[in-house]
């Protein structure tokens, strides 16, 4: 099982993600992983299992998403230690 270490404006917390699970991150309380970062969109990114691990995809967010400091333009596979920036909230992926 992989883990997401979420460092948000207000707190840091841990989220487990199963190999076949999809988690949506964003400001909306309806998201699987709600965050308080003001530059995050209501539904900002999705982290999803792809059969070989996990990948991240931007959900057409207003301010975009960074993966290891680079702009994310399409879905990208995740490796342990990758850092996802979601509008000022950072997510560390641990496989």
């Amino acid at each position: 099982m992989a883990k997401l270490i979420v460092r948000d404006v207000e707190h840091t917390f841990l989220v487990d993600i199963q190999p076949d699970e999809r988690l949506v991150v964003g400001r909306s309380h309806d998201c699987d992983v709600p965050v308080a970062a003001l530059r995050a969109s209501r539904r900002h990114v999705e982290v999803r299992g792809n059969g070989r691990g996990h990948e991240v995809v931007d959900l057409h967010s207003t301010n975009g998403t960074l993966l290891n400091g680079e702009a994310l333009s399409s879905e990208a596979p995740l490796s342990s230690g990758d850092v996802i920036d979601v509008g000022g909230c950072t997510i560390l992926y641990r496989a």
Side-chain angles (χ1 to χ4, degrees):
M1 175 184 332
K3 298 185 182 311
L4 304 176
I5 302 167
V6 182
R7 293 186 184 109
D8 196 8
V9 175
E10 299 173 351
H11 56 289
T12 299
F13 56 97
L14 182 69
V15 177
D16 292 329
I17 182 168
Q18 300 294 329
D20 59 346
E21 192 171 13
R22 294 173 173 250
L23 296 178
V24 174
V25 180
R27 280 187 299 112
S28 174
H29 294 292
D30 294 334
C31 288
D32 303 302
V33 183
V35 296
L38 295 178
R39 291 181 296 129
S41 293
R42 282 184 225 121
R43 293 176 48 85
H44 199 103
V45 298
E46 181 178 66
V47 178
R48 60 185 176 205
N50 62 14
R52 298 170 307 284
H54 291 91
E55 61 189 13
V56 62
V57 61
D58 184 88
L59 299 176
H60 307 290
S61 65
T62 301
N63 293 311
T65 301
L66 300 177
L67 177 60
N68 299 321
E70 300 289 326
L72 184 65
S73 58
S74 63
E75 67 269 353
L78 289 170
S79 298
S80 192
D82 281 349
V83 177
I84 307 162
D85 185 297
V86 176
C89 167
T90 59
I91 302 169
L92 176 62
Y93 176 78
R94 290 284 184 207

